[in-house]
């Protein structure tokens, strides 16, 4: 509010995947004075498991939406009709399943956190939304793998973990958070157990 030339783009894609009884608060609802310079973006890929349908939407000032529409019409023309109607059904259809899905994701989150707590040198905050955990691996940096590689950063950690245990994670450097890595728990509990056990084994195999 102190900087009237600054616009806000709020990514609300995970609005239905928030845990611990909290709820997403839209920034415009918190501060109505930002309404005329805020763009809310959302989509169906996360909460409705429609990744690949490529449907997103935005809400904002009319002149901004009109400009966005003009750009999209000259670049991608439009999203395919099938995807559009599928998104309409997702948004207008029954929503009761979202609570069940949220509980399943929460259970998977807790499973991953519990398993990773056994990994030497890793620490992980409890995520309050989405379906990722973002452990910090600074406790293993400087250690040596069985093949003699000294881990210098999160990218080394991710690469060597994949090489030695076949577990794929995403280095945090790409998210502006070096010394962390991302794990998605949008998978089966069996897959998550196998992956986390591989991470624990990898950490146990490191030497100083």
């Amino acid at each position: 509010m102190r900087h009237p030339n600054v616009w806000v783009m709020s990514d609300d894609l995970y609005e239905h995947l928030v845990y611990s009884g909290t709820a997403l608060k839209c920034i415009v609802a918190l501060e109505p004075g930002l309404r005329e310079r805020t763009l809310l973006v959302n989509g169906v890929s996360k909460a409705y498991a429609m990744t690949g349908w490529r449907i997103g939407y935005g809400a904002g000032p009319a002149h901004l939406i009109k400009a966005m529409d003009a750009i999209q019409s000259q670049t991608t023309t439009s999203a395919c009709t099938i995807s559009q109607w599928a998104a309409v059904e997702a948004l207008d259809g029954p929503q009761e399943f979202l609570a069940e899905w949220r509980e399943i994701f929460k259970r998977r989150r807790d499973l991953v956190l519990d398993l990773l707590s056994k990994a030497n040198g890793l620490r992980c905050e409890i995520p309050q939304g989405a379906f990722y955990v973002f452990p910090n691996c600074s406790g293993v940096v400087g250690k040596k793998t069985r093949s003699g590689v000294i881990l210098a950063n999160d990218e080394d950690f991710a690469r060597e973990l994949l090489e030695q245990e076949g577990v794929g994670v995403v280095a945090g450097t790409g998210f502006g958070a070096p010394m962390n890595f991302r794990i998605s728990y949008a998978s089966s509990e069996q897959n998550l157990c196998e992956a986390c056990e591989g991470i624990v084994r990898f950490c146990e195999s490191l030497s100083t």
Side-chain angles (χ1 to χ4, degrees):
M1 292 301 291
R2 292 194 301 270
H3 304 279
N5 292 325
V6 176
W7 281 61
V8 176
M9 182 169 70
S10 178
D11 180 354
D12 296 344
L13 207 61
Y14 292 99
E15 66 170 321
H16 296 297
L17 297 177
V18 181
Y19 311 116
S20 304
T22 57
L24 178 75
K25 292 294 186 182
C26 169
I27 191 170
V28 175
L30 293 173
E31 178 46 75
L34 289 172
R35 186 182 184 92
E36 291 306 310
R37 50 190 172 102
T38 296
L39 172 66
L40 305 178
V41 294
N42 212 317
V44 295
S45 64
K46 305 303 181 184
Y48 299 96
M50 293 175 66
T51 303
W53 292 80
R54 316 312 296 168
I55 292 292
Y57 52 90
H63 67 279
L64 175 62
I65 299 299
K66 183 177 179 180
M68 291 168 58
D69 184 54
I71 291 174
Q72 186 191 22
S73 68
Q74 300 301 318
T75 53
T76 61
T77 303
S78 64
C80 81
T81 305
I82 296 172
S83 293
Q84 292 186 56
W85 280 111
V88 169
E89 288 301 312
L91 294 169
D92 289 346
Q95 304 294 302
E96 293 80 10
F97 71 94
L98 289 172
E100 180 183 354
W101 282 15
R102 185 164 51 247
E103 192 57 36
I104 291 172
F105 277 126
K106 182 178 180 295
R107 187 168 67 242
R108 292 175 181 171
R109 178 201 68 175
D110 294 343
L111 171 66
V112 170
L113 290 172
D114 180 61
L115 292 170
L116 290 182
S117 69
K118 303 175 176 65
N120 296 328
L122 301 186
R123 67 178 192 275
C124 189
E125 299 292 334
I126 301 174
Q128 297 302 310
F131 42 71
Y132 310 102
V133 293
F134 206 54
N136 182 282
C137 61
S138 58
V140 299
V141 167
K143 292 187 176 182
K144 185 186 297 184
T145 68
R146 289 189 298 263
S147 59
V149 175
I150 297 176
L151 302 178
N153 50 44
D154 53 297
E155 293 177 325
D156 287 351
F157 179 90
R159 184 186 64 253
E160 293 301 314
L161 175 64
L162 181 61
E163 289 285 332
Q164 297 193 26
E165 294 290 343
V167 177
V169 299
V170 183
T173 296
F175 301 101
M179 298 302 175
N180 291 274
F181 62 95
R182 191 178 79 168
I183 302 172
S184 168
Y185 51 86
S187 187
S188 69
E189 292 188 9
Q190 179 180 345
N191 287 341
L192 293 172
C193 285
E194 292 176 2
C196 289
E197 288 166 2
I199 293 172
V200 171
R201 279 196 306 271
F202 178 70
C203 290
E204 288 177 345
S205 73
L206 300 174
S207 60
T208 54

